[in-house]
Amino acid sequence: MRINNNKAEDVKIAYIGGGSRGWAWGLMSDLCVEEAMSGSVYLYDIDMEAAKKNEVIGNKYNHIKEAKTHWDYKAVETIDEALNGADFVVISIMPATFKEMYSDVHTPEKYGIYQSVGDTAGPGGIIRALRTVPMFEYIANKIKENCPDAWVINYTNPMTICVRTLYKTFPQIKAFGCCHEVFGTQKFLVKCLKHMRGIEDIKRQDIKIQVTGVNHFTWITKATYKGEDIFPVYREFCEKFKDTGYTLEPGDKNWANGAFFTYDKVKIDLFLRYGYIAAAGDRHLAEFVPGNWYMKDPETVKEWEFALTHVDWRIEQLKERLEKSEKLYSGELPVEIKETGEEGVKQMKAILGLGDFVTNVNMPNRGQIPNLPYDAVVETNAAFREGTVSPVMTGDVPEEIYPMISRTVAEQELIVDACVTKDLKKAFMAFSIDPLVRLNPKDAKKLFDEMVENTKEYLSDYII
Amino acid sequence: MRINNNKAEDVKIAYIGGGSRGWAWGLMSDLCVEEAMSGSVYLYDIDMEAAKKNEVIGNKYNHIKEAKTHWDYKAVETIDEALNGADFVVISIMPATFKEMYSDVHTPEKYGIYQSVGDTAGPGGIIRALRTVPMFEYIANKIKENCPDAWVINYTNPMTICVRTLYKTFPQIKAFGCCHEVFGTQKFLVKCLKHMRGIEDIKRQDIKIQVTGVNHFTWITKATYKGEDIFPVYREFCEKFKDTGYTLEPGDKNWANGAFFTYDKVKIDLFLRYGYIAAAGDRHLAEFVPGNWYMKDPETVKEWEFALTHVDWRIEQLKERLEKSEKLYSGELPVEIKETGEEGVKQMKAILGLGDFVTNVNMPNRGQIPNLPYDAVVETNAAFREGTVSPVMTGDVPEEIYPMISRTVAEQELIVDACVTKDLKKAFMAFSIDPLVRLNPKDAKKLFDEMVENTKEYLSDYII
Amino acid sequence: MRINNNKAEDVKIAYIGGGSRGWAWGLMSDLCVEEAMSGSVYLYDIDMEAAKKNEVIGNKYNHIKEAKTHWDYKAVETIDEALNGADFVVISIMPATFKEMYSDVHTPEKYGIYQSVGDTAGPGGIIRALRTVPMFEYIANKIKENCPDAWVINYTNPMTICVRTLYKTFPQIKAFGCCHEVFGTQKFLVKCLKHMRGIEDIKRQDIKIQVTGVNHFTWITKATYKGEDIFPVYREFCEKFKDTGYTLEPGDKNWANGAFFTYDKVKIDLFLRYGYIAAAGDRHLAEFVPGNWYMKDPETVKEWEFALTHVDWRIEQLKERLEKSEKLYSGELPVEIKETGEEGVKQMKAILGLGDFVTNVNMPNRGQIPNLPYDAVVETNAAFREGTVSPVMTGDVPEEIYPMISRTVAEQELIVDACVTKDLKKAFMAFSIDPLVRLNPKDAKKLFDEMVENTKEYLSDYII
Amino acid sequence: MRINNNKAEDVKIAYIGGGSRGWAWGLMSDLCVEEAMSGSVYLYDIDMEAAKKNEVIGNKYNHIKEAKTHWDYKAVETIDEALNGADFVVISIMPATFKEMYSDVHTPEKYGIYQSVGDTAGPGGIIRALRTVPMFEYIANKIKENCPDAWVINYTNPMTICVRTLYKTFPQIKAFGCCHEVFGTQKFLVKCLKHMRGIEDIKRQDIKIQVTGVNHFTWITKATYKGEDIFPVYREFCEKFKDTGYTLEPGDKNWANGAFFTYDKVKIDLFLRYGYIAAAGDRHLAEFVPGNWYMKDPETVKEWEFALTHVDWRIEQLKERLEKSEKLYSGELPVEIKETGEEGVKQMKAILGLGDFVTNVNMPNRGQIPNLPYDAVVETNAAFREGTVSPVMTGDVPEEIYPMISRTVAEQELIVDACVTKDLKKAFMAFSIDPLVRLNPKDAKKLFDEMVENTKEYLSDYII
């Protein structure tokens, strides 16, 4: 990489999980329109076929009329080739297959435990962690070998646990995790201001926020628009829509709307009860609080009007994306620019010294939240500058939400430790106290064992 | 007070709740046989009649043959008289009456929530805190006025919340809380050594322990006997009795045995699952973990073989104690020496400079447990020396039990803050996340409101 | 204040020390060319005459051709008028007169103690603190009364002590301190790159830095240019110029050059010995280390080739500025735009939500430097966003420079405490351990007493 | 080791430096009269001859009439033999010879730097650290190999640095450092009480104290006798003797009195100036503060009436001890019981579970002093119980003495790091800022180089 005329040239990005049908195309689109950077993207995937298709698709972006720069896409057979000398590493993988995810999400239903997502928290999140952590240990070691100075951006869930594993495995790593859930909440605040005050055309970035907590259970403790505190108007808004949810304007219409449906009633309820803005989709939020609250049974979920995303739907949806992949690959469908709203490219630019930037990321706690454990991965704002990403001092988690957040962090720390020590007994300690798992120890153990069995192909390192 | 020939003379003890029929007599007995101290005990109680009876009873102790010292007992009409110039203040009160406690313990049963004690944690503990905190604020202010340098020993539950309130109200107070639950666990370890190794005549003090956590949810992280680690033998013991509980030798046969019954199966289960020794009675322990574990319903409790102490039993039992009080007062029954096993008198001696001493107490966290919040009240060992009670460095709570303990502390901190700010909304935040309260927000609110209503006579300062 | 079309209108700035002949004109110039903000500047000064002159001078700026906005300047008779409803408060005062400063700087010379500046550290800095703190207590209380939500920017020395006093007096204050010494060091690094690598036209902002420490004894622990580590080339540079100093290109040619002269030999020496870049002028740096190093006597100073700024020179220089003031006031000299290089206006913009921005400021340590005392004022980078200034996590001070910095912070904390408790005995504790004061306790006391006597007019609140 | 009838049998003590003529005999005497322990003492010394003599001398103790127990003394040829299976390790070595110590103490005199002891702080302490740390790294590794669970008691200076090195090398080590300087200060307080209040026969242990700081620069922040605060009477005492020193009753008359002479004027001066009781001999205290205060030159030392202990005296004194050794060995002089006043044996007993005990020790800071760096070795009270030595929560160092103590700790941390990384450049960083070294960087470097040269035989691992 070198900087020339305020442009970064020869930037090398390694994309782990580069066969992705979704995220990868989004990155291609975002890179294509950013004139300040050019270079190459190395696509590595355990599905080499998929990576190769994305190589072809990626290179098509250089030829569309909106292209402002040039990126060489290159599928490679080994992770070393991808990582060697990389400036940035993007990790966006699917740990195992939908078969395992099916078990994560739906096996607990036999015990009356429902999950809306099942990839971060709850029994599904824990079992997913068990198989994901060894993959991240592998990746971290490979980064250490091949590109110890690279900046690593993770998009994989369970986010907190993945980033924590990177740092546990290679403490000098320069990694952070990114997630758009907070952005979605900013957009929700935009809608609130539009509806309650008639203000049009606010961009989500105009809603300035302080964030704290952990990924998918992030909270906004301060929000302003043009210098004014939004909390009072948001309170009015929440009071108005607490019974119906905000139904006037549907959520983002992206490919996943149906199964991701929500009227934000959980978000509204949490604000009215705790006084801070829960900053993730209802489906995520519901997984961090006692299961009896919002997901006691499908009827309760219906009352709260959000979706339990069925894995069958995901499987179906993947088929569509595979078809789309074929069409993009063959040229039947042209590649096109679609703003993703993600900030990865902007973050890379800032790290390269091409513009300071403050946004929320997931990084180890080195004091930015003094009342959470040191080194646990937390989500706060951070300042991106040339060569540094420095979390800003965020202060203590407010006492009202501290019991829920500190509990979550302690559970996640225990999970990570169970995973890196390959200790299923310890994993079960976390499993049995998870607030979605409302079972007595014996039933909890039975469920745990069954779920472990269903993912055992990926747990060969564990002492069973 | 003055020290003469290694004896402390003219010691003044103020006993708040001095009309007690139980604790007070125990203290009388302990004081009576401690030759190194003499002085006066001022008994203050909102039930002046009861205090007066205890004055008479107390003074009888000076005339029994075992008496090694002299103490003047004196019932006083105002708390100021009791406190003025006191060297020590003992607080052992009953916050409100059994009528309120009845609601604390049994109202939740309508919602399927069972409680074994109901005075520390769970819905009962929270509602009890609401009415107890204002009393402790009053007492703390009175201490500040009358005897700011006195050492204050609290025995009242909810212990953690009471001690925390004393410090919040009068930060310079020299207070700590004492509880015998850990001693009971030491005795349990004595039985374990006797049964498994045939060692006889071990005193509980010979079991040396490191303790951490919070009152009634205290954990032993290290235990030795004559320098040897007890954990391996305790593990064998637990494996042996995990299904039956330890039934060979019943618990302490004191006045409360029936309703306090336990075979220690909860304690054993927690050890086998978490690897550390839970150091309180099963009835207390069960209230700090998810309600589904041990108290899902009366059948589950039966399986775990411990008692849900019914308040009717307590009412009945009080009658007996009232009768006993009359008999002691009239002389029909002679006062007698009964070793309580409590350490209050020994602690006073050490504070007076008559012998160093290390034991477990409840005090604000000033770093003795680095991974719990600063200032929260925690239970650890402390060194008692002339004029000082210094908690010893205990280190981080181990990660296995950290999720449960950190959650508890965060909830307790929120409760105390709700109580001192007289904010029922905040109290409900804690209530709804309590692991015994497994209700959706609406039902939780209904229960909370009903319980608050039942104790409202004591909540006049709260904004309702 | 209101935001309209990305412009802030009706901004009210209170300028405490608004009669200034220098800083005030710089602010006028900077405000004049910033089109995103307009409003009014209230000038308050104990020298009302001077403030009135500046009102006239300031308003002239609205009529020059470069003016991009409009600001009303208004001298006011009371500090309340100035502060009432202010959005920003700028504090730039001269504590007492040059007579007192003369004593601060030159009285110690009788004892062989030389000072290059005498307003921050050393005996002069301490005595100056004694009289400055009461002024800042007064200002902080006035801000609390009149504009508790205003953002306060301090430029007065001793910087650390002034900002610390603001927070001690009014803990909710939103204040930070700004100083251009670090910018000067960035410019020095620009020269280094130009000289050693031939790179032209680097702006100081292009040198990205991590800073740590305290004002005037700030250190750069990481510096990059276009992503490359500057430390190796700076090392070469320092080795090259360690004997001669960097003489090829003189320092900034501002009004003060002669008396502020330096060849940066101290800065170079500190880098070669400690491995980090001392980021202030040599005259400041020399005052934080043992007096024997660089200021044993005038000969030693000469060897190190920096100036001891004599207060006579300052007095002389003030006369020139007074003359300039008259000319600007009368119009004999036209007001003109001169970029100050200060960031105050940019900071205000960022706080108003008109552009994120990261720069170094002096703020209380809330964990940004974990190994310095909590609440002590430290200098680190901070992220400026709408409504917030959040220090970034900076990490521990490196052990090589930790002894010098931790000592300094501890001394400053003691000084502030001496000042707010008006305790001269405590002030002397700090005085006698200051590394410039190399005297035995008796001589130190004599000097201290004489210096206190010379400033006693401002110490009426102290117990003498 | 085993416990039988409250006695510890078969205790194995490894004595590193077991050829000692002084300390070793004291330990023999103390062990001989402690009936609760028996076993063997393995004497290892690089001077095998000396160890063998002590074997003979030690075994004689079993035959004197005062003997209450039996210990086998055994000189061994390898450190492994000594350590293998040891329960306790005592380290009391002389790092190098008096030749090196001569340079440590007297070489700086050429530059006008005087030292009263020269083995802890100041230039002498730093150079001594350079050669001592590798020895302690060796010992720590040997302990790790041979007896990782043994308790290690260090008596060697520089105390702080030696203990820190043990923990840096083998983090799981169970080590603490003991020093009698604080005891001496307790005895001084006894004299104060006797003189000012006429109280006779106080034992030093009756003076209950809170201690904080680092070894030889330890401070008493609270002291009581029979519950009463001693500070007021100590203040009177200090005011009375501030000019003359306390001359009425000389110090302890042990073998070293002449060269160790002091009238405690430094101690008194520090109390009057800083308000806390400096708890070490004047000769030690004077080495932690600016050299100009008490040791500017021999005249100043004379004024303060304490001794600069010349190494010639030590050499002379060693001869006497060698003669005594011969006589004890041959039987010309009988071995005899002399209470040392040291607490080593009492500490061992407590660790073995034979009696709780609170005293001051040097251990890593794990939060007992929150405002000093984590892991730095500090001196505070600690509770000794079976199997544990737990520092008690001591709280922040008071601000009045914090600048001096925090500076010292930071310097010591830097020295240790220089020593373990074998980095003389880093060692010089510490050297040049030491408050006794009042030299410009060039002279400081010359002195440093000369002193290093004089001890180079022991610095073969360093990069020079």
Side-chain angles (χ1 to χ4, degrees), chain D residues 45-238:
Chain D
D45 204 299
I46 51 171
D47 178 353
M48 179 65 181
E49 217 44 48
K52 283 207 160 154
K53 294 241 159 84
N54 273 348
E55 174 186 318
V56 172
I57 295 168
N59 285 323
K60 286 179 197 271
Y61 273 92
N62 290 314
H63 307 297
I64 64 175
K65 64 173 192 305
E66 299 94 334
K68 296 191 176 156
T69 186
H70 185 95
W71 288 89
D72 282 325
Y73 289 85
K74 197 175 154 81
V76 290
E77 297 210 359
T78 66
I79 194 169
D80 302 282
E81 269 180 279
L83 294 174
N84 188 20
D87 298 300
F88 295 99
V89 180
V90 170
I91 310 176
S92 168
I93 65 172
M94 166 80 173
T97 72
F98 282 139
K99 191 184 128 225
E100 284 76 23
M101 192 173 185
Y102 195 98
S103 168
D104 292 348
V105 177
H106 302 295
T107 302
E109 292 174 358
K110 298 187 209 173
Y111 293 77
I113 299 168
Y114 294 88
Q115 296 174 89
S116 32
V117 187
D119 73 348
T120 310
I126 294 170
I127 302 302
R128 184 184 178 103
L130 286 175
R131 64 178 180 271
T132 307
V133 165
M135 301 175 190
F136 272 73
E137 292 178 304
Y138 173 79
I139 295 170
N141 280 319
K142 282 297 181 186
I143 289 168
K144 188 178 174 182
E145 254 175 78
N146 286 287
C147 53
D149 286 327
W151 280 93
V152 181
I153 312 181
N154 176 58
Y155 292 103
T156 314
N157 285 331
M159 172 60 80
T160 308
I161 283 165
C162 290
V163 177
R164 185 69 165 105
T165 301
L166 293 174
Y167 278 91
K168 276 221 167 177
T169 309
F170 174 29
Q172 286 73 39
I173 205 167
K174 299 192 285 192
F176 54 92
C178 290
C179 172
H180 53 201
E181 291 289 320
V182 170
F183 309 163
T185 307
Q186 283 173 303
K187 288 178 201 163
F188 190 62
L189 294 173
V190 166
K191 288 179 201 165
C192 157
L193 284 171
K194 186 178 167 192
H195 181 79
M196 302 298 289
R197 295 284 182 269
I199 311 174
E200 301 279 347
D201 298 326
I202 306 175
K203 280 180 296 176
R204 75 148 181 91
Q205 289 87 343
D206 294 338
I207 308 291
K208 304 287 179 178
I209 55 176
Q210 282 279 87
V211 302
T212 192
V214 292
N215 183 248
H216 289 170
F217 200 52
T218 322
W219 293 72
I220 293 174
T221 54
K222 186 181 171 186
T224 57
Y225 172 66
K226 297 205 173 180
E228 247 172 282
D229 182 7
I230 297 176
F231 273 54
V233 59
Y234 187 61
R235 185 171 301 280
E236 284 173 45
F237 177 83
C238 288

Side-chain angles (χ1 to χ4, degrees), chain C residues 101-119:
Chain C
M101 191 172 186
Y102 195 99
S103 168
D104 293 349
V105 177
H106 301 298
T107 302
E109 291 175 359
K110 298 188 207 169
Y111 292 77
I113 300 167
Y114 295 88
Q115 296 174 91
S116 31
V117 186
D119 72 349

Side-chain angles (χ1 to χ4, degrees), chain B residues 228-292:
Chain B
E228 247 172 283
D229 182 6
I230 298 177
F231 273 53
V233 60
Y234 187 60
R235 185 171 302 279
E236 285 173 45
F237 177 83
C238 288
E239 287 292 353
K240 182 168 177 187
F241 291 105
K242 71 180 167 192
D243 295 324
T244 59
Y246 182 71
T247 58
L248 303 185
E249 199 177 346
D252 286 350
K253 283 254 168 56
N254 65 18
W255 49 266
N257 244 5
F260 292 176
F261 189 73
T262 163
Y263 279 147
D264 293 297
K265 287 175 78 170
V266 168
K267 192 184 279 92
I268 288 169
D269 182 60
L270 288 173
F271 179 73
L272 291 174
R273 284 166 59 206
Y274 290 97
Y276 296 98
I277 303 174
D282 282 17
R283 291 162 50 258
H284 284 301
L285 296 172
E287 295 190 335
F288 288 89
V289 297
N292 299 64

Side-chain angles (χ1 to χ4, degrees), chain A residues 104-166:
Chain A
D104 292 349
V105 177
H106 301 298
T107 301
E109 291 174 359
K110 299 188 208 170
Y111 292 77
I113 299 168
Y114 294 88
Q115 295 174 92
S116 31
V117 187
D119 72 349
T120 310
I126 294 170
I127 303 303
R128 184 185 179 101
L130 287 176
R131 65 179 180 272
T132 307
V133 164
M135 301 175 191
F136 271 72
E137 292 179 303
Y138 173 79
I139 294 170
N141 280 320
K142 283 298 183 186
I143 288 168
K144 188 178 175 182
E145 255 175 77
N146 286 286
C147 52
D149 287 327
W151 280 92
V152 181
I153 311 180
N154 177 58
Y155 292 103
T156 314
N157 284 332
M159 171 60 79
T160 308
I161 284 165
C162 290
V163 176
R164 186 70 164 103
T165 302
L166 294 174

Side-chain angles (χ1 to χ4, degrees), chain C residues 44-61:
Chain C
Y44 171 75
D45 204 297
I46 50 171
D47 178 353
M48 179 65 181
E49 214 46 45
K52 284 209 160 153
K53 294 242 160 85
N54 272 346
E55 173 184 318
V56 171
I57 295 169
N59 284 324
K60 287 178 196 272
Y61 272 91

Side-chain angles (χ1 to χ4, degrees), chain A residues 272-274 292-293 373 399-400 402-403 406-407 410 414 417 425-426 429 432-433 438-441, chain B residues 272-274 292-293 373 399-400 402-403 406-407 410-411 414 417 425-426 429 432-433 438-441:
Chain A
L272 290 175
R273 284 166 60 205
Y274 290 97
N292 299 63
W293 288 9
E399 63 173 359
E400 289 88 346
Y402 184 61
S406 65
R407 190 210 64 68
L414 183 54
D417 197 63
K425 193 171 175 195
K426 205 174 262 182
M429 292 179 197
S432 61
I433 55 166
R438 292 130 24 236
L439 302 175
N440 64 51
Chain B
L272 291 174
R273 284 166 59 206
Y274 290 97
N292 299 64
W293 287 11
E399 61 173 0
E400 290 88 346
Y402 184 60
S406 66
R407 190 211 64 69
E411 183 186 325
L414 182 54
D417 197 63
K425 193 173 176 194
K426 205 174 263 183
M429 292 180 197
S432 61
I433 55 165
R438 293 129 25 238
L439 303 175
N440 63 51

Side-chain angles (χ1 to χ4, degrees), chain D residues 322-338:
Chain D
L322 282 169
E323 281 164 28
K324 184 172 176 191
S325 172
E326 286 308 318
K327 287 179 187 161
L328 288 171
Y329 175 68
S330 68
E332 189 182 333
L333 203 66
V335 302
E336 53 180 1
I337 299 305
K338 271 192 186 161

